[in-house]
Amino acid sequence: MTSSVLTSVHSTDGSTIAVETIGSGTPVILIGGAFNDRSTVTALAETLAPHVRAVSYDRRGRGGSSDVRGDFAVRSESDDLAAVIKHVGGVASVFGHSSGAALALEAVVRGLPIEKVAVYEMPAVVDGNRADPPADVFDRLVALLASGDDDGAAELFLTEQVGVPAPFVADMRKAPMWEFLCAQANSLPYDVAVCGPRMRLQSDRYAAITIPALVVNGDQTWPWIQTANQALAAAIPNSRREVLPGADHEILGRPELLAPLLLDFFA
């Protein structure tokens, strides 16, 4: 396996974005969702790398990336992705997981030079598939983070934005992974912002997407995610939808399930 190369690029506002590249050929940029940094997509990058140039990066405020502006604006994250695309040659294909999927589609709608886009389990509220997140989640997250309460921000996001039952979150608090989740908490308002007001599916905007699009979800994931991605695929003209047997929302830890589908699409 070829070793990866770690470098950094500068976004429009001067924020430093850490970028890691492995492999050669067609560049495919991998975007993680909430609580993810580039380390969580490493396994997928390594699985894809013999066939494509797999590019992962820390979204702003995570890992090796800074956040100069700290405005939690979707435009800031779009600018970051634009800088990464420029770094890999000026045009690329993009894969996004969860809120990273929302960011990938946002970039397409904004006209970034993206050839193909694949998304896995973008969260969205549609047709009563789940209760709306409270309208004030974003503001409450920002307030908790301003007070230094990363722990409270992580709990708020999981319970009220994602809809994870409180007893399950209580168990998560006892696990070693909780420290990692809290370390990413300061970027959670970006995840809320990019998914749009109350996480409603933005069908009208996605209807303008004309590039090849692949929409994927696992058959073992939450029913509301399955409904959301069915609706998302219907909203994007000429998109292809796939349901991955045996997979759930934690697909990044099982790259062998997802990689063949992505390689077939990006090739």
Side-chain angles (χ1 to χ4, degrees):
M1 171 65 69
T2 304
S3 60
S4 63
V5 176
L6 177 62
T7 187
S8 62
V9 299
H10 289 96
S11 191
T12 304
D13 67 353
S15 293
T16 299
I17 306 300
V19 182
E20 191 166 1
T21 305
I22 186 170
S24 60
T26 302
V28 177
I29 299 172
L30 312 175
I31 310 174
F35 297 113
N36 285 260
D37 61 11
R38 72 179 189 279
S39 72
T40 61
V41 299
T42 294
L44 179 59
E46 291 177 345
T47 305
L48 297 175
H51 311 282
V52 300
R53 183 183 179 193
V55 183
S56 55
Y57 72 99
D58 287 326
R59 289 169 61 182
R60 63 171 48 214
R62 311 181 191 189
S65 294
S66 63
D67 186 5
V68 171
R69 189 177 295 151
D71 58 0
F72 302 118
V74 176
R75 167 64 67 182
S76 296
E77 284 217 283
S78 181
D79 288 345
D80 300 344
L81 180 53
V84 176
I85 293 174
K86 182 179 179 181
H87 170 70
V88 299
V91 64
S93 293
V94 176
F95 164 77
H97 169 260
S98 196
S99 71
L103 176 55
L105 293 178
E106 180 68 26
V108 174
V109 171
R110 288 175 180 256
L112 269 62
I114 295 172
E115 291 185 318
K116 296 182 179 181
V117 61
V119 296
Y120 187 88
E121 296 199 358
M122 189 189 81
V125 174
V126 58
D127 297 332
N129 62 335
R130 56 156 287 178
D132 290 353
D136 63 350
V137 166
F138 179 88
D139 292 336
R140 288 160 60 205
L141 276 174
V142 172
L144 285 169
L145 294 171
S147 71
D149 189 0
D150 293 347
D151 187 274
E155 180 180 27
L156 171 62
F157 182 87
L158 287 167
T159 55
E160 299 194 32
Q161 180 74 8
V162 182
V164 179
F168 190 80
V169 174
D171 289 338
M172 292 173 67
R173 281 178 171 275
K174 303 170 186 176
M177 69 174 176
W178 188 254
E179 183 178 353
F180 177 82
L181 298 184
C182 289
Q184 318 303 321
N186 62 322
S187 62
L188 289 174
Y190 285 113
D191 298 289
V192 175
V194 78
C195 289
R198 307 197 79 173
M199 218 162 63
R200 297 288 178 84
L201 184 68
Q202 303 176 55
S203 299
D204 292 346
R205 300 183 73 228
Y206 298 147
I209 294 175
T210 58
I211 65 171
L214 174 67
V215 179
V216 188
N217 66 266
D219 67 358
Q220 300 300 305
T221 197
W222 306 300
W224 71 269
I225 283 282
Q226 299 189 45
T227 302
N229 283 261
Q230 181 178 15
L232 173 61
I236 302 174
N238 302 314
S239 67
R240 168 183 160 196
R241 182 180 182 231
E242 296 284 350
V243 178
L244 206 53
D248 58 18
H249 200 62
E250 305 305 316
I251 192 65
L252 295 179
R254 304 180 70 189
E256 71 282 356
L257 292 182
L258 182 60
L261 198 56
L262 294 183
L263 290 172
D264 175 69
F265 175 68
F266 289 127

